[in-house]
Amino acid sequence: MKVSVDRSLCYGSAECAHRAPAVFVFEDGYGVVRPGREESADDPQVQEAAEKCPSQAIGLTEQ
């Protein structure tokens, strides 16, 4: 599964970077997926970050 952040929805809470710092980073006021970590949607920390994202900007999709 693939993880992504929709920048049009993200309002910069940085919740994702706090919950799954190995996958997300906070850049320019937005949460982003670290390069090379796009295939990390199966990680329980990533799934929790997606569930807890206040703007629901994190997407977990089948490839």
Side-chain angles (χ1 to χ4, degrees):
M1 287 182 59
K2 188 172 182 176
V3 61
S4 61
V5 176
D6 184 336
R7 289 187 86 160
S8 68
L9 296 175
C10 179
Y11 58 74
S13 73
E15 194 67 32
C16 57
H18 292 295
R19 291 186 184 275
V23 177
F24 300 100
V25 65
F26 193 65
E27 287 182 356
D28 300 323
Y30 297 98
V32 296
V33 179
R34 291 180 181 274
R37 298 306 310 251
E38 297 86 359
E39 308 297 324
S40 300
D42 292 326
D43 182 323
Q45 288 181 319
V46 171
Q47 293 175 0
E48 180 180 355
E51 290 171 13
K52 304 289 184 180
C53 177
S55 63
Q56 298 297 295
I58 299 172
L60 305 177
T61 57
E62 294 289 334
Q63 295 179 347

